[in-house]
Amino acid sequence: MPRALVIGGSVGGLFAACLLREIGWDVAVFEKSAGDLSGRGAGLGLSSELFAVMRRAGAEMNPAIGVPCTWLLQLDRSGAVLSRIERAWTAGIWSRVYQPLRAAVPNAIVHPGRALERVQQGGARVVAHFASGGTEAGDLLVACDGALSTVRRQFLPEVEPRYAGYVAWRCLVEEQFLSADAHALLSDALAYSFPPGEMSLSMPIPGRGDDVRPGHRSYYVIWYRPARPDQLRDLMTDRSGRDHGLAIPPPLIRADVMAAMRRDAVALLPPMIADVIARTEQPLLQAITDLEAPRMAFGRVALLGDAAFVARPHVAAGITKAALDAAALAEELGSSPSDISSALARYEAKRLTFGRALVAYSRKLGAASLAPDGMRDPERVMREYGAPHLVHDVERTAHR
Ligand SMILES: Cc1cc2nc3c(=O)[nH]c(=O)nc-3n(C[C@H](O)[C@H](O)[C@H](O)COP(=O)(O)OP(=O)(O)OC[C@H]3O[C@@H](n4cnc5c(N)ncnc54)[C@H](O)[C@@H]3O)c2cc1C
């Protein structure tokens, strides 16, 4: 039985593990983090493509786990509704994707607390060397180790996430803190506002304990704001003067940076959205980046998910892309089990095209979302956000 070493035990690694096992591979997953990965994110856009791969992976996901919304609303600065579009959307949370996947992979093959340090290849074997010492050998290594992938940095040291010129503030409060009026307006909608050159997007999401009952949910705001490189440096510099580059740990965001952001929210955003931002104890700050790998296969090594491509959040597609990468890898390996190199070459050709097109598409949506007034069509931005027909939309862009 051929053996695959999967590096990274997040969604990409778990999809790869499930789907490779399904085609008869012996799989071992090595994850750097020793803790539970369940509590990572919120506000995920769920897609039908994602549900399909989850079913194939044996990780049945209940579509009722997210908060369904019926409307897209455009709010003006005073909070009045400028436009209302009917469109179904389900806002999910990370744990509801991660947990069924994790449950589909036997504990015995998952090795937490093992960080890959480097990869060595020779003939038909690939050897993983770990930071804690020790090695593992296999016929294939699948690098699912995220945007700062150790494996990618070994094979493509020049490829790094590139700053896109704007940041996203992410804020979250329990739904009960919304006023009655705000709750009535926002509880069944994705609400947008478009200050000059900026955009906020907000939605109800599952609350504590993944509770989706009205009154027990949370309310989530993402606020995109341009920041020149010197402004980004200031935002990402902590109290001791250390510049954290593209990602600052939330508790290290300076108090004056948060206070200025909250003042701007009052000046620029609808009052109920500014209120959520004011009440959020610990906002998150994310530098928006693009990442594009020019290759995804190196001998017996394949890159998968964020290790190869990171698209901007406007397509809400990172998890779906990781799922589709894993499905393509399993499909190619399954169709020529005795010729791993040519399976990887076909995988690379397919997924490079998709990854490039996805990043280009997300860049286009980002530019349209933050365009100056007069050059921006808010209703179009609202309809396209979250790429409702991801594969179709991305492929259409690729063939233009
Ligand atoms: C704030 C935020 C919001 C998001 N919202 C959405 C959304 O709405 N919809 C959506 O689809 N996607 C969203 N994403 C993106 C999504 O989370 C990623 O695209 C997805 O997690 C990619 O999965 P991955 O397995 O490729 O990488 P990751 O989830 O980054 O996992 C990489 C794993 O590898 C491990 N690792 C790293 N280095 C090593 C090493 N050397 N050895 C062993 N293990 C290692 C890490 O600990 C980690 O567990 C969001 C991301 C963020 C940050």
Side-chain angles (χ1 to χ4, degrees), residues 10-12 31-32 40 44-45 94 116 144-145 150 306 316-319:
S10 172
V11 285
E31 164 57 47
K32 172 169 80 171
R40 279 194 171 178
L44 297 184
W94 170 272
L116 177 103
C144 310
D145 51 347
T150 305
D306 279 11
I319 291 179

Side-chain angles (χ1 to χ4, degrees), residues 183-199:
H183 191 266
L185 182 67
L186 300 174
S187 65
D188 187 24
L190 249 71
Y192 291 78
S193 77
F194 293 91
E198 308 190 3
M199 183 181 99

Side-chain angles (χ1 to χ4, degrees), residues 41-45 89 91-92 166-173 190-195 198-205 219-225 261 265 269-270 273-274 276-277 280 283-288 312-316 369-370 385-386:
L44 297 184
W89 163 279
Y166 57 106
V167 299
W169 284 98
R170 294 178 182 259
C171 295
L172 183 71
V173 293
L190 249 71
Y192 291 78
S193 77
F194 293 91
E198 308 190 3
M199 183 181 99
S200 81
L201 163 66
S202 48
M203 66 193 88
I205 63 166
Y219 197 74
Y220 183 55
V221 174
I222 310 167
W223 182 16
Y224 295 106
R225 314 198 70 191
M261 181 273 290
L269 298 176
I273 305 302
V276 170
I277 292 174
T280 300
L284 308 185
L285 176 62
Q286 178 190 12
I288 304 299
R312 300 184 192 180
H314 311 280
V315 284
S369 302
L370 276 68
Y385 195 97

Side-chain angles (χ1 to χ4, degrees), residues 19-362:
L19 295 172
L20 291 178
R21 277 164 56 79
E22 204 189 78
I23 58 163
W25 281 65
D26 173 27
V27 176
V29 179
F30 301 94
E31 164 57 47
K32 172 169 80 171
S33 164
D36 183 13
L37 304 183
S38 292
R40 279 194 171 178
L44 297 184
L46 304 172
S47 64
S48 54
E49 289 106 338
L50 174 67
F51 288 130
V53 183
M54 289 197 72
R55 271 194 299 277
R56 223 174 106 187
E60 197 59 45
M61 185 178 184
N62 178 354
I65 51 78
V67 176
C69 290
T70 314
W71 300 100
L72 307 178
L73 299 182
Q74 182 190 354
L75 305 178
D76 73 7
R77 155 78 192 80
S78 75
V81 176
L82 287 177
S83 56
R84 183 187 296 266
I85 300 169
E86 188 165 357
R87 185 188 133 191
W89 163 279
T90 302
I93 48 172
W94 170 272
S95 60
R96 293 298 193 150
V97 177
Y98 170 79
Q99 279 165 351
L101 277 173
R102 180 63 189 81
V105 178
N107 285 338
I109 69 163
V110 179
H111 307 281
R114 294 206 67 189
L116 177 103
E117 202 169 59
R118 69 189 169 86
V119 181
Q120 188 188 359
Q121 298 200 66
R125 298 298 277 171
V126 54
V127 178
H129 293 257
F130 293 93
S132 53
T135 59
E136 293 280 343
D139 303 281
L140 169 70
L141 182 140
V142 190
C144 310
D145 51 347
L148 304 179
S149 167
T150 305
V151 179
R152 187 193 68 238
R153 284 173 162 169
Q154 178 177 333
F155 291 96
L156 299 168
E158 70 288 359
V159 176
E160 285 292 323
R162 272 197 328 268
Y163 177 54
Y166 57 106
V167 299
W169 284 98
R170 294 178 182 259
C171 295
L172 183 71
V173 293
E174 288 176 25
E175 188 181 28
Q176 61 187 1
F177 291 118
L178 294 179
S179 70
D181 286 350
H183 191 266
L185 182 67
L186 300 174
S187 65
D188 187 24
L190 249 71
Y192 291 78
S193 77
F194 293 91
E198 308 190 3
M199 183 181 99
S200 81
L201 163 66
S202 48
M203 66 193 88
I205 63 166
R208 275 175 206 271
D210 302 348
D211 203 331
V212 294
R213 288 174 300 156
H216 300 262
R217 307 177 303 192
S218 295
Y219 197 74
Y220 183 55
V221 174
I222 310 167
W223 182 16
Y224 295 106
R225 314 198 70 191
R228 294 184 315 263
D230 59 309
Q231 292 171 319
L232 179 74
R233 227 175 354 266
D234 180 54
L235 293 172
M236 296 288 175
T237 297
D238 69 19
R239 211 155 53 115
S240 75
R242 180 170 166 214
D243 175 3
H244 292 266
L246 293 173
I248 184 166
L252 297 186
I253 301 171
R254 295 194 322 273
D256 64 298
V257 165
M258 287 208 286
M261 181 273 290
R262 289 190 167 112
R263 274 195 308 274
D264 288 352
V266 171
L268 295 169
L269 298 176
M272 58 284 250
I273 305 302
D275 191 45
V276 170
I277 292 174
R279 288 174 185 273
T280 300
E281 277 172 32
Q282 182 59 77
L284 308 185
L285 176 62
Q286 178 190 12
I288 304 299
T289 58
D290 297 319
L291 175 77
E292 291 181 77
R295 293 175 57 195
M296 292 174 77
F298 312 86
R300 294 293 180 112
V301 173
L303 302 184
L304 187 151
D306 279 11
F309 289 92
V310 178
R312 300 184 192 180
H314 311 280
V315 284
I319 291 179
T320 302
K321 177 169 65 64
L324 295 173
D325 283 353
L329 182 65
E331 205 171 289
E332 297 305 340
L333 289 166
S335 73
S336 57
S338 55
D339 188 355
I340 294 173
S341 304
S342 51
L344 291 193
R346 290 194 304 276
Y347 162 75
E348 178 181 66
K350 275 190 186 168
R351 300 312 293 166
L352 274 182
T353 307
F354 184 83
R356 281 183 191 133
L358 179 68
V359 171
Y361 184 56
S362 72

